[in-house]
Amino acid sequence: MSAGDGFFYFFAFLTLFFGVLVVYNPFSRNPVTSAMFLVLTILSLAGLFLLLNAFFLAAVQVLVYAGAVIVLFLFVIMLLDIKEEERRKIRVISAGTGFLAVAAIAFTIISRLIWTTRPGAGLPAATVVGSTAELGTILFQKFLLPFEILSLLLLVAMVGVILLSKKDLK
Amino acid sequence: MMKVGLEHYLTVSALLFCLGLFGVIARRNLLVIYMCLELMLNAANLAFVAFSRFNNELNGQVMVFFIVTVAAAEVAVGLALIVALYRKRQTAHVEDLTSMKL
């Protein structure tokens, strides 16, 4: 087992472990705790991106998700001042049924996946690396139109958010 | 242990996606449901990056770049909706938000 494989198992374990703690934390049902574990999940995912040679995306993941999105979440949590979740208990039957359904989906996907790919083949040798320069080149040549549409989408989202958060919603 | 390949990354991605799906089903707080949606989006991102690495091209990574941007916009709009809803109803709990009319 090479060092890269060891890092894969390390980051994969961390990702799933923190992911479980986002969804179900036995010690706290506070949304702030979930948000904090979401940060850790995203950081370990950035580690997996690094192992896949996606360096720019790992940086974007840390900056945009762990930075901006989580700050937005925390801001809204503190704005709303939610404490209700602590008092309510989980419904065991509905959660158990949901768990069974999701486990069935997971089993289907993963068994399918192991049949269709050749396990143990490993990844092919890397010929392209997702550095900023290469990604920028392909983004501004091949994907120029989607990129411009995306900027329009961000504008629409900004106007929409400002409209939605006005005090008197007409 | 076998050599880490595409299927390992896709398995992690599938497990993370199902984890997020379970969170959306089981949790009752709107904000936590939103975080679980983010988990699902991130699982899809991981699958895209893994395929991109496997095929030795960058199109998958550009797709992830777009997904991250759209997710950021989606979170902003969704949280604004939650805040607007909270102002009307004083709750962020899905069981209290069962009627369609405000």
Side-chain angles (χ1 to χ4, degrees):
Chain A
M1 196 167 73
S2 67
D5 288 6
F7 275 119
F8 167 78
Y9 287 111
F10 177 68
F11 282 124
F13 171 75
L14 281 187
T15 307
L16 292 175
F17 179 70
F18 292 135
V20 168
L21 285 176
V22 173
V23 174
Y24 176 69
N25 192 333
F27 301 111
S28 159
R29 305 189 51 70
N30 198 334
V32 178
T33 331
S34 287
M36 284 309 168
F37 280 115
L38 188 59
V39 174
L40 292 175
T41 313
I42 283 162
L43 290 181
S44 354
L45 261 179
L48 284 181
F49 284 5
L50 281 182
L51 289 179
L52 288 167
N53 282 343
F55 304 118
F56 178 70
L57 284 181
V60 164
Q61 182 90 349
V62 172
L63 284 177
V64 175
Y65 265 112
V69 169
I70 299 297
V71 167
L72 211 60
F73 266 113
L74 287 177
F75 190 70
V76 169
I77 290 170
M78 285 164 192
L79 201 69
L80 299 190
D81 193 24
I82 293 169
K83 293 197 187 78
E84 272 185 275
E85 180 99 8
E86 315 255 0
R87 289 203 303 266
R88 311 205 188 200
K89 44 184 178 182
I90 317 176
R91 293 188 175 165
V92 180
I93 295 176
S94 63
T97 321
F99 181 77
L100 275 184
V102 171
I105 295 172
F107 176 75
T108 315
I109 297 175
I110 291 169
S111 61
R112 217 39 239 163
L113 210 139
I114 287 171
W115 280 336
T116 45
T117 57
R118 288 176 316 231
L123 287 170
T127 51
V128 291
V129 171
S131 64
T132 314
E134 300 207 18
L135 214 59
T137 311
I138 196 170
L139 194 61
F140 288 114
Q141 284 174 356
K142 198 170 166 190
F143 293 94
L144 185 60
L145 184 65
F147 184 78
E148 296 296 337
I149 294 173
L150 207 61
S151 63
L152 202 65
L153 176 87
L154 283 177
L155 178 70
V156 170
M158 197 169 73
V159 173
V161 167
I162 292 171
L163 262 180
L164 275 174
S165 46
K166 272 173 74 172
K167 261 272 176 339
D168 45 342
L169 206 64
K170 277 174 209 132
Chain B
M1 253 184 250
M2 60 175 126
K3 233 170 123 188
V4 170
L6 178 65
E7 69 275 3
H8 288 74
Y9 286 97
L10 291 184
T11 306
V12 173
S13 163
L15 285 176
L16 198 63
F17 183 85
C18 290
L19 208 59
L21 186 60
F22 175 66
V24 171
I25 293 172
R27 294 301 296 260
R28 288 286 173 265
N29 190 322
L30 266 181
L31 286 160
V32 180
I33 288 176
Y34 243 77
M35 288 174 209
C36 293
L37 280 180
E38 292 305 308
L39 270 189
M40 290 163 80
L41 277 172
N42 272 305
N45 281 351
L46 180 62
F48 267 118
V49 176
F51 276 123
S52 167
R53 167 74 178 76
F54 184 72
N55 290 325
N56 263 324
E57 57 173 42
L58 288 177
N59 292 350
Q61 295 195 15
V62 175
M63 190 59 88
V64 171
F65 181 76
F66 288 154
I67 291 175
V68 168
T69 320
V70 172
E74 173 244 339
V75 164
V77 174
L79 288 177
L81 275 174
I82 290 177
V83 170
L85 207 57
Y86 191 83
R87 280 213 191 109
K88 289 264 184 200
R89 293 292 196 80
Q90 307 300 318
T91 180
H93 216 265
V94 283
E95 279 163 354
D96 302 334
L97 301 168
T98 46
S99 69
M100 295 199 50
K101 225 176 137 191
L102 274 177

